[in-house]
Amino acid sequence: MKLNMFTLLFFCFSTISGLFAQEENTKQKDTLSLFLNYVEKLSNAFDENDQDFFINSFSKKTIDSIIPDNTDQKYVDVYRKAVKTGLKTFVAKLYMDMGNGSYYDFINYSRTEEENSYHAMFRLYNEDTGINYHQYRISLKDSTFIINDIFTLLDGDFLSESLKTTLNNSYKRDSDKDADLYKKFLVLKNMGLDSKAYSVAKKIKDTTFLNKIFLILKAQAASEVSTNEYIKCLKDILKKYPSDPSLTLLSIDYYYLSNDFNNLFRALEHLERYTNDDFIKYMVGNYAYEIEDFHLAQESYEYIVKNYPTFLSAELMLLHTYNKLNSNKEAIKVLDNLLQNGYTKKQLINFVKTDINDFYKTKDFKSWKRHH
């Protein structure tokens, strides 16, 4: 069969296009592989409190953008040093949190074609202090990955903007009294003296200071003072920023403290969609257990046990839940699984005796105790 000129040209064009597409796909896969390797190095840096790796990865352009406008040239290096100190504090705090039992895990990523950048999502979780998310905006420049910025969900802002606001407010001169109060507030807050920090924050009246970052920091300080003060601060923030999706975490606290569990579960559902993080189901299980919706708790914990097999807190809560539902046979299966995952029989017997004494007295548990 003869090919006419048009068919021949079309065939050649299609072949060349296919080769270019294949080459582009290969290039993207290679870049993705390098990106995931970089994320692993970043995770290790946090594990080891390697502040230099983080600082060297952070965009120098972003660091310079944090320096307040119209800064006298002779003070630029002073500001740049202050910014780097803020970045080091970010890493040091993560390291301290992990030392206190927090999990910091890379959970998912997305790619933005227009910006030619990746967005890496990390989850920070602690059984006592709750959950937060950091989304890193990372790009590849001259074969090196650069962190352009980090969006912190609990603060509802980018790290660069938080640092810029802090620097601007710390060096304000148009409202000396409130500027001094603000600096004092930040020092006390960073020292962990939340009660004193909150007392100072309440004295600040200059509206230019009363932005979202300050209000969130004030609320965090208030949470260490009293529940009523914390609720009052949360209410003020949600009233001022009613449509801000980044305030979902704060709204969860507010609904919980207000005993508004319908809106609480809606907020959790929104948070799971927003972060694409199915680990939120563990929190759903905890709140469901608290309001004695044990069937929802069971469903949530079973999902976590299946999909996060090394997260044993969910198994322990599932054990509690099966006991509440009188599902002794299922509870025994959980005990067997916990044995396989590092718990000793003695530990489990003591745990059940102390925490689930009614299950401890059942025939099923006594039989398990005798035969294991």
Side-chain angles (χ1 to χ4, degrees):
M1 180 178 68
K2 278 192 172 183
L3 295 175
N4 61 36
M5 184 58 70
F6 176 78
T7 304
L8 185 61
L9 287 172
F10 179 76
F11 175 76
C12 291
F13 177 76
S14 299
T15 302
I16 293 169
S17 298
L19 290 172
F20 276 125
Q22 189 175 9
E23 184 179 344
E24 183 63 26
N25 286 337
T26 302
K27 184 179 177 183
Q28 285 188 12
K29 286 180 181 178
D30 290 344
T31 304
L32 175 59
S33 179
L34 291 171
F35 163 73
L36 293 175
N37 286 336
Y38 169 77
V39 169
E40 185 177 355
K41 290 178 184 176
L42 184 62
S43 296
N44 291 336
F46 293 133
D47 287 337
E48 298 162 9
N49 195 23
D50 186 350
Q51 298 173 7
D52 289 337
F53 180 86
F54 179 72
I55 298 293
N56 293 335
S57 291
F58 211 87
S59 165
K60 291 176 175 55
K61 184 178 179 181
T62 302
I63 289 175
D64 286 341
S65 75
I66 296 170
I67 298 173
D69 299 331
N70 304 319
T71 299
D72 192 309
Q73 192 60 37
K74 63 183 178 181
Y75 295 116
V76 167
D77 286 340
V78 175
Y79 277 95
R80 191 177 285 124
K81 186 176 179 180
V83 172
K84 289 183 177 180
T85 299
L87 294 174
K88 287 181 178 180
T89 301
F90 177 82
V91 183
K93 188 175 185 310
L94 277 179
Y95 181 71
M96 184 174 69
D97 286 342
M98 286 184 277
N100 291 329
S102 294
Y103 299 88
Y104 196 57
D105 299 306
F106 168 61
I107 57 172
N108 56 53
Y109 74 91
S110 58
R111 186 170 182 271
T112 306
E113 294 284 348
E114 304 80 40
E115 299 175 5
N116 193 27
S117 63
Y118 289 94
H119 298 265
M121 183 80 82
F122 279 73
R123 179 206 314 116
L124 179 66
Y125 179 76
N126 186 289
E127 290 279 357
D128 296 322
T129 57
I131 200 164
N132 193 8
Y133 293 90
H134 296 156
Q135 188 174 54
Y136 293 73
R137 199 175 72 217
I138 299 170
S139 60
L140 184 64
K141 183 180 180 183
D142 300 328
S143 302
T144 303
F145 283 101
I146 296 172
I147 300 172
N148 295 305
D149 217 335
I150 306 166
F151 185 79
T152 303
L153 193 59
L154 186 59
D155 296 338
D157 211 345
F158 286 95
L159 180 59
S160 63
E161 289 300 315
S162 299
L163 291 171
K164 187 169 187 175
T165 300
T166 299
L167 279 175
N168 274 327
N169 288 345
S170 295
Y171 292 92
K172 282 171 71 76
R173 289 290 175 265
D174 56 337
S175 178
D176 289 334
K177 181 181 177 182
D178 278 359
D180 288 340
L181 286 172
Y182 183 85
K183 283 184 277 188
K184 186 177 180 181
F185 164 72
L186 288 179
V187 170
L188 291 170
K189 184 78 178 66
N190 288 332
M191 289 175 64
L193 302 173
D194 290 288
S195 181
K196 291 182 179 179
Y198 184 58
S199 295
V200 171
K202 289 194 294 184
K203 297 176 184 177
I204 298 174
K205 304 301 180 186
D206 186 341
T207 55
T208 60
F209 286 100
L210 306 181
N211 52 51
K212 185 169 66 173
I213 294 172
F214 169 74
L215 293 176
I216 290 173
L217 289 174
K218 181 182 176 184
Q220 290 171 0
S223 70
E224 300 297 325
V225 176
S226 76
T227 300
N228 286 338
E229 291 298 314
Y230 184 42
I231 291 174
K232 190 189 303 180
C233 289
L234 291 179
K235 191 173 182 179
D236 289 343
I237 296 171
L238 297 174
K239 183 178 179 181
K240 188 169 183 179
Y241 302 96
S243 303
D244 191 330
S246 67
L247 295 175
T248 303
L249 285 174
L250 288 178
S251 72
I252 289 170
D253 264 5
Y254 178 71
Y255 292 135
Y256 174 70
L257 294 170
S258 303
N259 289 313
D260 185 354
F261 282 90
N262 286 331
N263 277 318
L264 171 62
F265 286 118
R266 273 194 280 269
L268 287 168
E269 185 181 342
H270 172 72
L271 182 62
E272 184 172 348
R273 286 199 307 270
Y274 185 79
T275 60
N276 193 27
D277 182 20
D278 58 358
F279 184 78
I280 298 297
K281 287 182 173 60
Y282 178 66
M283 296 176 66
V284 172
N286 288 342
Y287 289 123
Y289 186 91
E290 184 166 338
I291 63 172
E292 300 186 357
D293 186 346
F294 297 121
H295 290 289
L296 177 58
Q298 175 190 341
E299 178 187 330
S300 304
Y301 292 139
E302 284 178 344
Y303 179 92
I304 295 297
V305 168
K306 180 180 177 181
N307 291 278
Y308 295 85
T310 60
F311 186 65
L312 300 184
S313 295
E315 289 213 67
L316 294 174
M317 287 306 302
L318 185 57
L319 185 62
H320 276 284
T321 305
Y322 282 144
N323 175 59
K324 293 293 185 182
L325 293 169
N326 295 315
S327 301
N328 291 351
K329 302 297 184 195
E330 297 301 320
I332 295 299
K333 290 178 184 177
V334 173
L335 289 174
D336 289 338
N337 200 46
L338 288 168
L339 275 178
Q340 294 174 13
N341 280 293
Y343 279 86
T344 66
K345 181 180 177 180
K346 185 178 180 180
Q347 285 175 321
L348 291 173
I349 290 172
N350 289 337
F351 171 76
V352 173
K353 184 177 182 180
T354 304
D355 286 33
I356 324 177
N357 192 253
D358 50 341
F359 178 53
Y360 181 81
K361 297 173 182 177
T362 63
K363 291 180 180 179
D364 292 300
F365 181 75
K366 289 177 180 178
S367 174
W368 179 85
K369 190 168 63 168
R370 282 195 305 271
H371 295 99
H372 280 74

